[in-house]
Amino acid sequence: MKEKHILIAGAGGIGEAAAIILADSSKLNCKIYIGDRDQSLAENISEKINEATSSEICTGFKIPESESDTTFDAFLEKSDIILDCLPGSQAPRLARLADKNACHYANLTEYVKETDLVTAIAEQSEKGFIIQTGLAPGYINVLANHLFQIFTSRYSVEKVDQLDMKVGALSQHALQPSYYAFTWSPIGVATEYVKEAIVVQDYETKMIPSLSGTEKLLINGVSYEDDYTSGGSADLPKALTGKAKNLRYKTLRYPGHYDWVRSILGETKDTENKAEHLKKVMLDRIPSVEDDVVVIFASVKGQDNKGVLRAIEKSLHIYPTQILGFKLRAIQTTTAAPLCQAALMLLEDKLKGPVFQSQINTAEFLNGDIVSSVYGKIDI
């Protein structure tokens, strides 16, 4: 592949990890431009990557608060692709700039309204836009779709009874009363607890309240609880219409956490500001940690062509790792790796318009060099 120019918008934990992973990838001959509204943050990351690689592969710059400016325009004009690691509210802005500058585009956001706006922009573009390609939404949806395809092929059926997706970004240790520690964005956690979740129940797609169905389960012998949260289903409810009788995405936590969250939400009757209230309380009472673990569980259950009840399941535990001498948290690598794998797909110039998680070649993506370096090869 000839030299490509990759622009990463956002130099927070995920943007940093994406830059490091791309700089380390043997599949890419690239220049990386990493931008942030905090110019010193972006420049510091680029300097460390250049030092680690003994090259001038990375350049940091300042992204303006809104739309673009001459500096941002100069980097956009040179770029082949934008990897959007900014807050979800910024996704339509970055998608417009990608379209204007004939760049491919990939993002992470689970926000429904913003995803619809990005989709509308992508439909008019000659470039490819891979949408919601992080961890959840993202990897978990591709994994679940892969299990669905294996199940229906192996057991010669077209429909399944249950498709479950579960992901937890957790600390390795958790104390009462919250049984939780922050490993990623506090506002992201609070928001997913308050916005509605999309599920399929008896073949009907519905919106239901988040935190309305806590259940307990064991994964590799360890006790967890799960509950509905917003955003993690991506486009699978639509893509598998009439094929999955029940489909749900739930977030994994340690037992006791969701009761604590509901008690905090019950302290305010201000529906409009519940997420802000929850975020404030969580920041006051819950620490942030570096030693995290990402727990993933996907399963498909149904009857085979002889009426025997079957299930295919896959679970993963991902821990912090070292890449290019940088210690990266599990939430960083598990979110950034799918984004970077999507970048490789787009830079092949074979994709055009909006590309949703259900449209991705599951085996190719899951066993891609970058994704498999973090998640391992999928042997199902």
Side-chain angles (χ1 to χ4, degrees), residues 129-131 142 145 149 235-236 239 345 351-362:
F129 286 55
I130 296 185
I131 297 169
V142 181
N145 193 25
Q149 293 174 20
D235 72 314
L236 286 193
M345 295 169 61
L351 300 173
K352 176 182 174 181
V355 181
F356 298 98
Q357 296 306 297
S358 66
Q359 297 171 307
I360 290 173
N361 182 306
T362 61

Side-chain angles (χ1 to χ4, degrees), residues 124-135:
Q124 307 302 317
S125 178
E126 293 298 313
K127 296 295 183 177
F129 286 55
I130 296 185
I131 297 169
Q132 299 183 319
T133 184
L135 166 59

Side-chain angles (χ1 to χ4, degrees), residues 140-141 144 160-167 197-202 204 206 208 212-217 226-229 231-234 236-237 240 244-251 297-301:
I140 185 62
N141 311 112
V160 300
D161 293 333
Q162 186 79 35
L163 189 151
D164 278 309
M165 299 169 279
K166 307 178 192 290
V167 174
I198 300 174
V199 301
V200 176
Q201 295 177 344
D202 200 17
E204 182 181 351
K206 299 179 179 180
I208 65 170
S212 61
T214 302
E215 295 178 312
K216 298 188 184 301
L217 70 158
D226 64 22
D227 212 330
Y228 300 107
T229 56
S233 296
L236 286 193
L240 297 182
K245 183 177 181 179
N246 299 289
L247 181 154
R248 57 187 186 171
Y249 171 82
K250 302 182 83 174
T251 294
F297 179 81
S299 70
V300 178
K301 183 172 68 175

Side-chain angles (χ1 to χ4, degrees), residues 106-212:
N107 74 17
L108 304 164
T109 184
E110 75 273 20
Y111 291 6
V112 175
K113 177 183 176 183
E114 285 76 6
T115 295
D116 289 343
L117 291 171
V118 170
T119 301
I121 295 166
E123 286 172 345
Q124 307 302 317
S125 178
E126 293 298 313
K127 296 295 183 177
F129 286 55
I130 296 185
I131 297 169
Q132 299 183 319
T133 184
L135 166 59
Y139 180 91
I140 185 62
N141 311 112
V142 181
L143 176 61
N145 193 25
H146 184 69
L147 298 187
F148 172 82
Q149 293 174 20
I150 296 298
F151 188 101
T152 53
S153 174
R154 180 180 296 175
Y155 298 120
S156 302
V157 295
E158 296 182 355
K159 299 179 180 181
V160 300
D161 293 333
Q162 186 79 35
L163 189 151
D164 278 309
M165 299 169 279
K166 307 178 192 290
V167 174
L170 301 169
S171 55
Q172 293 185 30
H173 317 284
L175 303 176
Q176 64 179 1
S178 67
Y179 298 100
Y180 189 69
F182 283 118
T183 66
W184 65 291
S185 165
I187 188 58
V189 174
T191 299
E192 74 174 11
Y193 286 173
V194 172
K195 288 190 174 184
E196 288 188 314
I198 300 174
V199 301
V200 176
Q201 295 177 344
D202 200 17
Y203 296 112
E204 182 181 351
T205 300
K206 299 179 179 180
M207 301 293 292
I208 65 170
S210 288
L211 309 190
S212 61

Side-chain angles (χ1 to χ4, degrees), residues 16 35 48 61 69 123 186 201 235-236 283 317 379:
E16 174 190 31
K48 289 181 178 179
F61 69 97
D69 60 14
E123 286 172 345
Q201 295 177 344
D235 72 314
L236 286 193
L283 284 172
H317 286 68
D379 55 4

Side-chain angles (χ1 to χ4, degrees), residues 28 50 75-76 85 93 95 120 126 150 169 172 190 207 210 245 279 284 296 300 307 346 350 360:
L28 271 177
N50 290 339
F75 285 107
L76 287 166
C85 300
R93 168 195 174 194
E126 293 298 313
I150 296 298
Q172 293 185 30
M207 301 293 292
S210 288
K245 183 177 181 179
K279 182 186 77 167
D284 287 343
I296 298 166
V300 178
L346 290 168
K350 298 177 181 178
I360 290 173

Side-chain angles (χ1 to χ4, degrees), residues 287-305:
S288 294
V289 300
E290 295 296 317
D291 291 327
D292 63 340
V293 56
V294 168
V295 184
I296 298 166
F297 179 81
S299 70
V300 178
K301 183 172 68 175
Q303 294 183 338
D304 66 15
N305 60 348

